[in-house]
Amino acid sequence: MTEFRPKPMIPIGPEPILVHIMRHYSHFGFSRFVLCLGYKSEIIRDYFLNFYTMHSDVTVDLKTNTLDVHSVDHSCDWKVTLAYTGESTMTGARIARAAARYLGRGEHFAVTYGDGLTNADLAAELDFHLSRGKIGTVLGVNPPSRFGEFRLEGDELKEFIEKPELHSAWINGGYFFFRRDFAGYLSTEESCVLEREPLSRLAHDGQLAVYQHRDFWACMDTQRDHEYLTRLWESGEAPWAAPAH
């Protein structure tokens, strides 16, 4: 599916997963987005440059090339910056390049990937971030195992659990908040990977807090993941579409 479009533009139901992610942020009052573009960036550009007319009733006068908009059929009061950060640029360098251009005087900013969905309360995570006073906060999640688990007594099977939650294992859920000071841990060099030296140094310095989230989280890495998220959406009970408080 990613041969013809960037992964964030793969649809879950009628909209790209990217828009699902943005709607989740929007639910908690976030409305200013900077998209760090690279692979097939023109597809994301076209989507947002045409967003207004694609979500409105319009009349096009083909003789004069004028456009009359009759109704705006969306509720997105967002400002979206389309920032080209390089085709082969790694995650840390993308953030560094975009922040240098567009962070302005902002003291804090959020970061996420284009392929992860959650029902985490992002306003509560931001409050947690601000209260801890550290440079960074990451959403920690318990992923489900991809394999069933045996509960044994000796050689006797007492219980079989299909894909249990790993309650003792925490992983990077991909929803971050950072103080602007984090720029000092990043580099605009193409090879700067967020998850390597920058986050490792931040943790080593005692400046990375973890906001623990034990509810829904999913990452769309495979075709099976896409089918799972699509089924959730089509059921009308997609957890990320109705965030819990």
Side-chain angles (χ1 to χ4, degrees):
M1 297 180 78
T2 55
E3 182 180 353
F4 303 105
R5 63 191 131 187
K7 198 204 294 192
M9 294 304 291
I10 292 176
I12 304 293
E15 294 182 315
I17 189 171
L18 174 60
V19 175
H20 287 269
I21 294 167
M22 294 168 72
R23 286 191 188 282
H24 187 65
Y25 273 100
S26 179
H27 177 83
F28 297 102
F30 299 92
S31 60
R32 177 78 170 87
F33 299 93
V34 178
L35 305 183
C36 300
L37 309 184
Y39 175 70
K40 295 193 178 295
S41 61
E42 68 279 3
I43 294 175
I44 298 178
R45 285 185 182 279
D46 286 347
Y47 182 85
F48 285 99
L49 289 173
N50 293 304
F51 190 93
Y52 190 76
T53 53
M54 293 298 288
H55 291 80
S56 308
D57 286 351
V58 298
T59 296
V60 183
D61 187 321
L62 299 182
K63 184 175 182 180
T64 61
N65 194 31
T66 57
L67 190 72
D68 291 325
V69 179
H70 304 293
S71 67
V72 179
D73 301 321
H74 69 83
S75 58
C76 302
D77 59 344
W78 308 340
K79 289 188 177 179
V80 182
T81 298
L82 305 169
Y84 184 73
T85 51
E87 176 116 357
S88 304
T89 310
M90 296 291 101
T91 46
R94 289 189 190 282
I95 297 166
R97 294 178 184 188
R101 294 182 220 160
Y102 301 113
L103 183 57
R105 296 182 179 180
E107 285 300 319
H108 301 269
F109 61 100
V111 170
T112 195
Y113 305 106
D115 62 357
L117 293 168
T118 184
N119 65 347
D121 185 330
L122 299 180
E125 185 187 352
L126 175 58
D127 288 343
F128 174 88
H129 168 69
L130 296 174
S131 71
R132 291 305 183 274
K134 295 185 182 296
I135 292 176
T137 298
V138 58
L139 187 74
V141 298
N142 295 130
S145 169
R146 290 191 180 274
F147 304 97
E149 179 180 331
F150 287 170
R151 298 277 171 83
L152 299 174
E153 285 187 11
D155 58 2
E156 183 178 342
L157 179 62
K158 290 296 186 181
E159 187 178 10
F160 178 81
I161 302 174
E162 176 65 10
K163 297 181 181 177
E165 295 289 327
L166 302 177
H167 293 293
S168 61
W170 292 96
I171 67 166
N172 171 15
Y175 284 77
F176 300 89
F177 286 97
F178 294 111
R179 283 210 320 254
R180 63 180 302 121
D181 309 29
F182 185 54
Y185 289 78
L186 299 171
S187 165
T188 57
E189 292 295 319
E190 191 176 82
S191 59
C192 177
V193 179
L194 171 68
E195 302 78 12
R196 293 182 185 167
E197 185 179 349
L199 289 183
S200 293
R201 282 180 53 211
L202 201 63
H204 183 267
D205 291 348
Q207 288 293 326
L208 184 59
V210 177
Y211 181 75
Q212 298 180 8
H213 176 64
R214 296 185 180 274
D215 206 344
F216 178 82
W217 176 87
C219 188
M220 191 178 69
D221 283 330
T222 66
Q223 179 67 21
R224 179 171 61 179
D225 296 335
H226 176 255
E227 291 168 358
Y228 166 66
L229 293 171
T230 298
R231 285 196 304 272
L232 283 177
W233 177 260
E234 291 175 348
S235 75
E237 298 180 358
W240 68 87
H245 290 283

